[in-house]
Amino acid sequence: MSGPEVLSLVLLVAVFALAIWRDVNVGLVAMPAAFLLGRVAGVPKEQILAGFPTGIVALIVGVMYMFGHAQRSGAIDRVVHGIVRVSGGRDWVLPWSLFAVGAVLSGIGTLPSATVAIVLPVAMRVARNRGIDPVLMAIVAAHGAGAGGFSPMSPWAAIVESLAAKAGVHYSPGLLFLGLAGFDVLSTAIFFFALGGLGLVRRGRTEEDADAAARPVGAVRGASRITPYEIGSLAGLGAFVLAVLVLDLNIVFAAFAVGLALHLAFRPDGRRVIADIPWGVVMLTIGVLVYVGDLEATGTLKTIAGHLGGIGAPLVAALAIAYVAALFATVESSTVAVLGVVVPLTAAVLPHQTSATFTALLIAVCGTIGAVGISPLHLGGGLVLANVDDGDHRRVFRWLLGWSVGAAIVLPAVLMLLPLSLGL
C-alpha cells in the first residue's frame, strides 16, 4: 500500500478511537481528518468535499422536522400507549405490540435511533409493571425499530442507495427491506421463546390484568382530550405516507411540506423546532461520508478490495467483510457510520454480482449490523439500563452484552448462507 493509503487507514482508526475515547461525535472528528488526508494525499481541494451527502442531509432534516411535530404534539405517545392498551392484559402481546410500533415508526421515516428513544423507555415501564423480563422486552422492542429501518422511506435506506449508486452496483431496495424485516421477525421470535416467551403465552388473562396493562402507561393520556395539534400531526403523517407511496412524490419535498404545514397551522416554538432536529446525526453523516469519499479518492478502498478479492473465494471475502462489519458495529454506536464504510467496501470487493446476489450480501451484512444495536455501548442498550431497577442492572447488562457479542460471532456465518444459495 502507498503512504497515503496507509495514512488513510491510520486516520480512520484514530477517528473512531478518539470519538469513542472522548465521547465526541464521529463526524466532528472525521471532517478535519478528511481535510488532513486530502492535503497529504494531494487530493484537490474541491474534491475533498465531493462526498458531501447533500440529498441524505436534506432527507434527515426534512423527515425529523416533520416527526418533531408528531413527538411534540403527543401524537406519538398516544399511538404507543393506545397499541399497548390493545393487548387487553395478554402479556405476551406487549413485547410484540412495541415491536410493531417501532417497525411502523422506522418504516415511515423516523430514524431508528429516534424510534428506540421513543419506544424503549415505555417498554421498560411496561416490563416493570407487568413482571416481564426486561431483557426479553428490550430486545423485542429494539428489534422492531430495526425491522423498519431499511424501508424505502428510511434514511438508512437512502444512505445504502446513495453508496451503492456511487459504487456502480445494483440491488433491490424492496427486497433488502423485506429480507431484513423478515430476518428481524424470525430472530426476534427465536429469542422471545428462548428467554421465556412461552411462559408469557401461558399466563392467564383477567379483567384486572386488562385494566393493569393499560393503566401504567396510557390511562392518563388516553383519558385526556385529543388536541387539534395531535389530530393534525397524525393527519400529516398519513398524508406523507400517501404522498410518497401512492403519489410517488419526492420524500424530502413531502416531509418539508408536511412539516411546514403543521408549523404554520399550530405555531410551535420555532427555536425548539429547529433545536430538536438531530444535528448530531447530520454531522455524523456528513463527516463519515466525506471521509469515505477521500478513501475512494486516495485509492484505499480499491487496494483493500484487491487484497480481499485476492483471497480467491468470493464467499471467504464476503465473510471477512461481514466480520469486519460485526466488529465495527459492536464498538461503534452509529449505524450510519458503519454503513458508510462497509457498503462501499462490499461493493469494491465483490463488484460483479447480480442484483439478487448483491441484495443478499447487503442483507447478510446489514442484518449483522442491526443485531448488535442493543449492545450496552449503544443508545438502545443505554436506554434499557437507564430504565431498569437497580437489582436487575447487572444481569441486564450481561445479557445485552452477551447477545451483541454472540450475534457478532454467529450471524455473519449464518446469514452468508443466503448469498451462497444464490451462487456467490
Side-chain angles (χ1 to χ4, degrees), residues 25-422:
N25 185 299
V26 174
L28 293 175
V29 186
M31 281 296 285
F35 279 93
L36 174 61
L37 174 61
R39 294 306 299 268
V40 173
V43 178
K45 287 187 293 185
E46 61 275 8
Q47 192 177 345
I48 293 176
L49 285 174
F52 191 96
T54 306
I56 295 173
V57 168
L59 174 65
I60 293 173
V61 172
V63 169
M64 296 313 296
Y65 171 50
M66 176 186 67
F67 270 98
H69 290 287
Q71 181 68 21
R72 193 174 298 107
S73 69
I76 295 296
D77 286 341
R78 187 176 292 275
V79 170
V80 170
H81 296 153
I83 291 179
V84 169
R85 291 198 303 275
V86 168
S87 69
R90 299 176 182 87
D91 286 343
W92 71 269
V93 176
L94 291 170
W96 291 103
S97 296
L98 291 165
F99 179 98
V101 171
V104 170
L105 288 178
S106 294
I108 60 176
T110 309
L111 282 168
S113 57
T115 298
V116 297
I118 294 168
V119 172
L120 281 180
V122 176
M124 292 300 97
R125 292 202 302 272
V126 172
R128 184 184 305 115
N129 282 290
R130 297 300 299 162
I132 300 173
D133 187 340
V135 176
L136 182 152
M137 181 67 87
I139 291 180
V140 173
H143 276 222
F150 287 89
S151 84
M153 291 186 288
S154 167
W156 282 4
I159 289 170
V160 173
E161 184 176 5
S162 172
L163 293 170
K166 191 172 182 180
V169 294
H170 301 284
Y171 74 104
S172 170
L175 287 178
L176 176 64
F177 168 50
L178 293 176
L180 287 170
F183 164 72
D184 274 315
V185 171
L186 178 61
S187 61
T188 304
I190 292 172
F191 187 82
F192 174 80
F193 287 107
L195 202 63
L198 187 60
L200 292 181
V201 174
R202 289 173 175 168
R203 279 189 188 179
R205 175 184 179 273
T206 65
E207 291 303 317
E208 290 79 11
D209 285 337
D211 291 340
R215 192 180 308 118
V217 294
V220 175
R221 179 172 288 279
S224 64
R225 182 177 64 85
I226 188 169
T227 66
Y229 194 10
E230 287 180 80
I231 296 173
S233 297
L234 292 172
L237 293 179
F240 171 73
V241 174
L242 178 68
V244 173
L245 295 184
V246 178
L247 303 180
D248 197 28
L249 293 183
N250 180 277
I251 295 177
V252 176
F253 169 78
F256 272 108
V258 170
L260 180 60
L262 291 171
H263 200 147
L264 294 175
F266 300 103
R267 301 176 64 186
D269 185 340
R271 289 171 297 182
R272 287 190 59 192
V273 169
I274 299 301
D276 288 347
I277 292 172
W279 296 111
V281 176
V282 172
M283 189 63 232
L284 185 149
T285 302
I286 292 171
V288 169
L289 295 188
V290 166
Y291 195 86
V292 169
D294 275 12
L295 289 177
E296 294 173 342
T298 57
T300 303
L301 290 180
K302 186 176 180 180
T303 300
I304 293 174
H307 287 301
L308 290 177
I311 291 175
L315 177 61
V316 177
L319 266 175
I321 294 171
Y323 276 108
V324 167
L327 174 63
F328 202 4
T330 300
V331 299
E332 169 50 45
S333 62
S334 169
T335 300
V336 173
V338 180
L339 289 174
V341 175
V342 172
V343 173
L345 181 60
T346 305
V349 172
L350 301 162
H352 303 301
Q353 305 298 317
T354 65
S355 175
T357 304
F358 196 76
T359 302
L361 281 168
L362 288 178
I363 291 173
V365 172
C366 295
T368 301
I369 293 172
V372 302
I374 197 65
S375 163
L377 303 177
H378 295 183
L379 171 65
L383 286 170
V384 171
L385 294 173
N387 286 278
V388 298
D389 294 332
D390 291 341
D392 285 332
H393 196 277
R394 185 177 181 84
R395 172 182 169 272
V396 172
F397 178 88
R398 288 201 305 261
W399 267 100
L400 296 184
L401 184 61
W403 167 267
S404 301
V405 173
I409 294 171
V410 173
L411 285 183
V414 172
L415 289 176
M416 205 53 64
L417 294 174
L418 181 58
L420 180 62
S421 68
L422 296 176

